[in-house]
Amino acid sequence: MSGIAPTPDPPYVAVIFTAVRSGEDEAGYLEADAAMEALAKAQPGYLGYEGGRGMTVSYWATEADAKAWKQVADHLTAQRLGRERWYTSYKVRVATVDRDYGWSRPAP
Amino acid sequence: MSGIAPTPDPPYVAVIFTAVRSGEDEAGYLEADAAMEALAKAQPGYLGYEGGRGMTVSYWATEADAKAWKQVADHLTAQRLGRERWYTSYKVRVATVDRDYGWSRPAP
């Protein structure tokens, strides 16, 4: 879990990725997961990333930025390995964040 | 992790909830989490729920349905307890899912 991403005021784009893991090649999966997070950070329009077990959300300035990330060469390789090894199924949902709000515990 | 929610064709609404846990009252948190999932399922417009460590996404037919769920009495109580006990911070993002796609491993 990577905490709360410091996104700007809406609107922006959220890509919700939910997967069922196969259980195969755990080490390779973890290595690729870290590499893809680092690579995503270097892409135009990248705003942040939040991840949990089996679910990650990446945030992008525009839908064009999210689509461009999908086509980055090393990411295409990871997507192929995901289908061959790491996942039995997944779903990607591309959404527009219309509003957001948050809360933080006041300092004591 | 609850698997991939069986959502209909877009558009529909995703409420992305990301939290930093305080570490307090783990048993109470887990009990409330299960109770809120069961209660959400009974609400009008509820489509599904996906959850991981520190991040959950609930899906709703309309934004009005998502807003109504926020005001359900037992849910209001859970929100208050969340601020008093379980979380040090959280963020809620309300988004419209514009498109989605998925993949499943073919049967061998």
Side-chain angles (χ1 to χ4, degrees), chain A residues 5 7 12 18 24 50 53 55 59 63 87-88 90 92-96 98-101 103 105, chain B residues 5 7 12 18 24 50 53 55 59 63 87-90 92-96 98-101 103 105:
Chain A
T7 44
Y12 50 88
T18 312
E24 296 167 36
E50 296 170 349
R53 201 195 302 266
M55 163 169 276
Y59 299 104
E63 178 148 0
Y87 305 124
T88 52
Y90 62 73
V92 178
R93 293 176 176 96
V94 182
T96 304
D98 304 307
R99 60 188 176 87
D100 63 11
Y101 56 93
W103 171 87
R105 189 172 289 199
Chain B
T7 43
Y12 51 88
T18 312
E24 294 168 37
E50 295 170 350
R53 201 195 302 267
M55 163 169 275
Y59 300 104
E63 178 149 359
Y87 305 124
T88 54
S89 61
Y90 61 73
V92 178
R93 294 176 175 96
V94 182
T96 304
D98 304 307
R99 59 189 176 89
D100 62 12
Y101 56 93
W103 171 87
R105 188 172 289 198

Side-chain angles (χ1 to χ4, degrees), chain B residues 4-22:
Chain B
I4 298 173
T7 43
D9 288 340
Y12 51 88
V13 172
V15 179
I16 305 165
F17 175 79
T18 312
V20 178
R21 287 268 287 116
S22 66

